[in-house]
Amino acid sequence: MSRPPDPTNPLTSLRFDNRFTRLLPGDPLTENSRRQVFNACYSRVTPVRPVAPQLVAYSPETAALIDLDSAACTSPLFTRVFSGDLVLPGMDPHAACYGGHQFGNWAGQLGDGRAINLGETVNRRGEHWTLQLKGAGPTPYSRRADGLAVMRSSLREFLCSEAMHHLGVPTTRALSLILTGEMVERDMFYDGRPEEEPGAVVCRVAPSFLRFGNYELHAARGELEVLRRLADFTIRTLFPHLGEPSPVIYGQWFAEVCRTTAELMVHWLRVGFVHGVMNTDNLSILGLTIDYGPYGWLEDYDPLWTPNTTDAEGRRYCYGRQPTIAHWNLAQLANALHPLIGDPEPLEQGLTDYSRWFEEGWQATMAAKLGLVAFQAETDTTLTQDLLALLPAVETDMTLFYRHLADIPAGNADDRIAPAELAAPLMAAFYRPEQLTPTYLEQLGSWLGRYRQRLRHDGLVDAERKQRMHAVNPKYVLRNYLAQLAIDDIGAGDFSLTSELLDVLRHPYDEQPGRERFAEKRPEWARHRPGCSMLSCSS
Ligand code: AMP
Ligand code: MG
């Protein structure tokens, strides 16, 4: 294990420029004990060395971001470095200090409890990418937990990060999934029956892992000098186009966070993603999807659906509420930034604009999903509202519905097609044939009639419209049960489904003949199976 690294491996020539630790105040204590850390943005901490690390999968696209080729990724050195076994020269491992509002309540200090940033590598294009191990051992922020992660949740984070990227949804990326060789105890459903599960480490990659909660914690503690330094650091390194930090620029920065967050919410709704734990410590300052925990994908369209069992009662973070929650979270960020600006006006403006940006973005996205050239409020407001009321009336697979809607011909005004015949291309989307009553089919047929009329008004050729619709309505998403099948297989020592899913999800909008089984609706066995329809925060 302790042979010297091979100097020809591109890993050994990774360059590091650790701006976060160099430019921001750190915790003077280096002892790795759980504690409150004041007046500091991070604490230095060393990853725990794994017993027997084993590479399950890596993402070639994320590797390319940091100039690593497949030979480097399959080298023993890669597995050592990205499991926490070996810290490379130039790295500066640390855990970030942040707080957050959890389920609407201020929770105080949280911090990277099981994430260790290795450092910021600079690629050939001069871009900085922060490398972060999740599950590599405790930090001063681990509170009462162990700092570890299990394979089940790590696989879900690894695959979903990459799937989201290929769907065009802003996200942190995942470089690798590595089993540590150790077992980790988890009480998956908090029912007092803990079990041993294989431990794993994911290496995540992003320009920054800063969250709303980083700013909130310093503001809540009155650490205004640290808050100002962190804000200035953020603007200089991540928002340099805004110019030198000043009260006016802080306002413009907040507006940009509001805009990117609004765009992110539009994307989540477009693809049917439910984050599951939209606490302010899980919202990225860059508008990235971050912290994949008990997330899920809408199968049957239900705006109140949440995969997170911890939230089953209140459904605070259900699919349909995500844009409202993001606004609430932005309001907490605004409160935190207020002392820097003094004037509430630009912050209030940002929050008002958020709602407008979200609304405009959502309308444009709905138009695109329906294959309309542009959203025309007079007709399309009710057209989309009526559709979104129709979808939950019977169990309708959201992904399949939009995908197959592209097969509905615009037709002619004098067509006389029976509702059932008109709806035929959509049949694959329905879970329960017995729900397709004549009344329902009548309603669906009537909506399709209006839809076709609207399509004829645009006058696009069917084939062209289909192409446009297929570019925004994915065929392949990481259905909850697919991730679970890959988890089951890894448990049995078989990594092939993980690789295959990673590959399928690389082209989510393409037909990919021969891979249709990955685009099918959730099988009945998965309806109530834990991991497929219900997830807990235990990970
Ligand atoms: P989450 O909402 O899952 O992103 O986590 C909330 C907080 O709990 C964060 O500060 C995490 O770092 C921390 N946390 C979650 N799981 C663990 C764990 N197994 N060990 C240490 N800290 C954890
Ligand atoms: Mg988190």
Side-chain angles (χ1 to χ4, degrees), residues 98 102 110-114 142-143 145-148 186 277 281-282 291:
Y98 57 80
Q102 297 185 315
L110 298 167
D112 285 332
R114 55 163 164 181
S142 296
R143 297 177 290 157
D146 55 12
L148 304 174
R186 285 290 180 269
V277 208
D281 52 302
N282 290 338
D291 279 10

Side-chain angles (χ1 to χ4, degrees), residues 446-510:
S446 136
W447 185 85
L448 286 172
R450 286 161 57 204
Y451 174 56
R452 297 169 78 223
Q453 194 182 355
R454 176 67 183 82
L455 293 179
R456 293 194 291 271
H457 173 79
D458 273 353
L460 283 183
V461 176
D462 281 345
E464 188 193 341
R465 176 173 51 90
K466 180 169 171 165
Q467 206 177 14
R468 288 179 179 219
M469 290 172 77
H470 280 188
V472 290
N473 296 319
K475 173 163 177 166
Y476 298 97
V477 295
L478 183 58
R479 290 175 177 275
N480 311 311
Y481 82 92
L482 290 174
Q484 187 58 42
L485 290 177
I487 292 165
D488 293 346
D489 279 7
I490 296 177
D494 180 356
F495 304 164
S496 60
L497 183 56
T498 299
S499 307
E500 188 163 18
L501 280 175
L502 185 63
D503 200 43
V504 169
L505 296 168
R506 198 171 264 144
H507 305 286
Y509 300 103
D510 294 356

